[in-house]
Amino acid sequence: TPVIELAGGRKTYRSGSIEFEALRGVDLRIDRGEYVAIMGPSGSGKSTLMNVLGCLDVLTTGEYRLAGNDVGELDEIDLATLRNEEIGFVFQQFHLLPSLSAWRNVELPLMYRGTQRAERKERASAALERVGLGDRLENRPGELSGGQQQRVAVARALVGEPALILADEPTGNLDTVSTEDVLALFDELHAQGRTIVLITHEPEVAERARRVVRVRDGVIQSDGPASALHDD
Ligand code: ADP
Ligand code: ADP
């Protein structure tokens, strides 16, 4: 079953009389359990595509279905609910709340859904154990290394069992060792059947995915197995 079905996706930005087409007809299907990297140079439309896939922004024309839901038909509230239930986000800057402990950060997607406190704590603890931070439940982000903070963010992305994990330059702020930790974690999650879409401009990161989609000037330039990355 497809998690992502994007057909004829176009996105036009307007400021005054100036228009710019950041996505110029993108077709993309991603099935459950795939691990896909989206690559492209700066200005190619990666952030725009990420925002569309993440239901943070809507297409100007075209159709986007996430886990079978026609995103264009949803109002803001239903879109926010869909985003919370079906997508776990991981960002370059971690986006953790500094005043909250690790488990309090991780439980946030469950709070939004109204899950009871005891279950939230249990699931947040299990998610932190899964990323190797079972002994850091009560630590605040400032007491953790960059790599540990990103693993907290991955735990938060996982806790609600979303259809899709959407990671935007997740290793962009990490050193080599922490980058490897996070990529090893994605390998494990992929092996466990999770669907992962990773946006990156780093070839060493992209080649860890199974499939690489290259974007350029708002269109998909190539789409194929990561093993073909070195062929051009
Ligand atoms: P990338 O993430 O690959 O750097 P973006 O999706 O951020 O690419 O941007 C693609 C193109 O769209 C760029 O030329 C950028 O300047 C333009 N763009 C992005 N967002 C806006 C916006 N809100 N208004 C106008 N132009 C934008
Ligand atoms: P990234 O580093 O992810 O590519 P950018 O720094 O290109 O992000 O853009 C940051 C934000 O500014 C994004 O929300 C993007 O949509 C917006 N943006 C990018 N280019 C433009 C532009 N030319 N005009 C207005 N907004 C833009």
Side-chain angles (χ1 to χ4, degrees):
T1 15
V3 172
I4 283 171
E5 290 169 282
L6 182 60
R10 290 180 177 268
K11 178 71 185 178
T12 306
Y13 292 113
R14 284 191 184 82
S15 39
S17 60
I18 300 171
E19 284 195 358
F20 184 84
E21 204 171 30
L23 296 179
R24 301 184 298 129
V26 174
D27 298 306
L28 183 63
R29 176 187 159 132
I30 296 177
D31 287 328
R32 214 164 278 275
E34 282 200 86
Y35 182 5
V36 181
I38 296 177
M39 277 195 88
S42 183
S44 58
K46 296 187 302 297
S47 299
T48 302
L49 183 56
M50 150 97 189
N51 288 342
V52 168
L53 297 181
C55 303
L56 298 162
D57 202 353
V58 290
L59 291 169
T60 308
T61 63
E63 190 180 74
Y64 176 40
R65 285 180 175 274
L66 172 66
N69 300 276
D70 185 346
V71 168
E73 305 224 306
L74 303 179
D75 62 23
E76 282 291 329
I77 292 175
D78 288 340
L79 202 56
T81 303
L82 181 71
R83 195 189 300 137
N84 184 265
E85 288 180 354
E86 303 294 3
I87 307 173
F89 290 95
V90 180
F91 301 99
Q92 179 170 4
Q93 313 284 356
F94 318 141
H95 288 293
L96 300 174
L97 296 178
S99 65
L100 298 184
S101 66
W103 85 263
R104 289 282 189 186
N105 267 284
V106 172
E107 73 165 346
L108 289 173
L110 302 178
M111 274 182 103
Y112 186 92
R113 295 181 199 184
T115 308
Q116 293 302 303
R117 184 191 154 105
E119 187 186 341
R120 293 199 310 265
K121 176 137 201 193
E122 193 180 303
R123 290 176 64 179
S125 305
L128 281 163
E129 265 159 39
R130 201 161 161 194
V131 302
L133 293 175
D135 57 346
R136 289 283 191 265
L137 302 187
E138 301 294 345
N139 288 92
R140 291 181 186 183
E143 299 166 334
L144 302 172
S145 71
Q148 288 173 329
Q149 289 183 57
Q150 194 61 303
R151 284 190 278 147
V152 172
V154 174
R156 181 184 55 191
L158 283 174
V159 75
E161 301 285 326
L164 173 67
I165 293 173
L166 193 52
D168 188 10
E169 301 283 1
T171 61
N173 271 329
L174 301 179
D175 61 28
T176 312
V177 172
S178 301
T179 292
E180 181 48 40
D181 281 353
V182 168
L183 293 178
L185 188 53
F186 284 148
D187 288 343
E188 269 174 47
L189 297 175
H190 172 246
Q192 290 160 6
R194 315 235 48 126
T195 310
I196 304 171
V197 173
L198 186 158
I199 288 143
T200 184
H201 67 275
E202 296 177 79
E204 321 78 85
V205 173
E207 72 189 5
R208 297 288 289 266
R210 295 300 176 277
R211 172 180 166 198
V212 177
V213 174
R214 280 180 201 256
V215 181
R216 187 167 196 112
D217 298 332
V219 294
I220 291 179
Q221 189 185 30
S222 68
D223 182 349
S227 53
L229 254 188
H230 300 289
D231 291 355
D232 52 18

